[in-house]
Amino acid sequence: KHAEKWEFEKAGAIKRQIDTLSEYVAKSVVVSTSITRLDVFGMEQDDECAYISFLRVVDGAIVQAHTLEIDNKLDSSDEELLWSGILEMHERLGRLSPTLLVPMDLTIAPDGWEVTVPQRGEKRKLLELAERNAHFYMLEKKKRQSDSKSEKTQKDGAHISVRPAGLTSSES
């Protein structure tokens, strides 16, 4: 439009903005844009917690990610822990996508959601990404706990309560 009016500087500026946006969209799309809207749940667990990783995919791009920690003090099944994570995200976001990708078959299939365990392709790669996110979150948490324990040990070690041999109190 600006080029037709001989306003080449304005036309150039608009073209640069379009190119920048196109480049951003190309970098943020991780799967085919035919995957319009779905939510992905990955899970990892240790003795104490389950870590549920959530990814929201819209038009091929991950637009939202979150990881939940769910205490497993009651020895809940994997399915119960995963459902806890799904319901927690549903509560936080107000609404989930109609299609959910999960790492295991679920015996309960609620109305309004299509729950799928992808076996191959782009959806499988999204599920693997969510599972890796949960795994790395768990490792990072354990590392933080280990670091804080060693810090506490170092601080406790700095306060010596026993007088070292050879040192005596001042004699009169």
Side-chain angles (χ1 to χ4, degrees):
K1 188 175 180 181
H2 290 288
E4 293 171 1
K5 295 180 181 178
W6 297 85
E7 296 172 337
F8 296 114
E9 289 85 14
K10 288 181 182 177
I14 290 173
K15 183 178 183 331
R16 282 190 297 279
Q17 288 176 342
I18 290 171
D19 291 344
T20 302
L21 286 172
S22 297
E23 187 178 322
Y24 172 77
V25 168
K27 286 182 181 179
S28 65
V29 171
V30 292
V31 292
S32 169
T33 55
S34 65
I35 297 177
T36 56
R37 186 160 187 245
L38 59 89
D39 291 335
V40 185
F41 291 88
M43 186 170 91
E44 182 76 29
Q45 59 184 319
D46 59 20
D47 296 336
E48 302 161 5
C49 290
Y51 305 89
I52 310 294
S53 175
F54 166 81
L55 303 174
R56 172 155 289 163
V57 179
V58 176
D59 296 329
I62 296 172
V63 297
Q64 194 170 19
H66 191 71
T67 303
L68 301 170
E69 282 183 47
I70 299 175
D71 287 331
N72 189 11
K73 293 179 182 170
L74 302 175
D75 291 327
S76 302
S77 71
D78 291 353
E79 182 176 359
E80 291 170 328
L81 292 169
L82 182 59
W83 269 116
S84 294
I86 291 171
L87 295 174
E88 174 71 22
M89 288 310 300
H90 179 67
E91 196 173 292
R92 287 185 184 195
L93 300 174
R95 183 174 172 194
L96 292 177
S97 298
T99 304
L100 307 179
L101 301 184
V102 296
M104 68 191 77
D105 287 320
L106 302 176
T107 55
I108 303 167
D111 292 336
W113 285 331
E114 175 190 340
V115 180
T116 305
V117 181
Q119 301 301 313
R120 61 188 168 280
E122 291 183 320
K123 290 181 179 180
R124 179 69 193 169
K125 289 180 182 176
L126 284 169
L127 178 60
E128 290 169 354
L129 176 62
E131 289 177 326
R132 273 195 312 273
N133 285 354
H135 179 74
F136 286 121
Y137 183 90
M138 178 185 71
L139 292 177
E140 184 64 30
K141 179 187 173 202
K142 287 182 179 185
K143 183 178 184 277
R144 283 192 312 267
Q145 286 175 338
S146 173
D147 290 348
S148 70
K149 283 181 185 177
S150 65
E151 233 178 67
K152 185 178 184 320
T153 303
Q154 287 174 353
K155 285 180 182 177
D156 290 346
H159 304 292
I160 300 171
S161 60
V162 178
R163 188 181 309 265
L167 293 180
T168 60
S169 57
S170 59
E171 298 173 11
S172 16

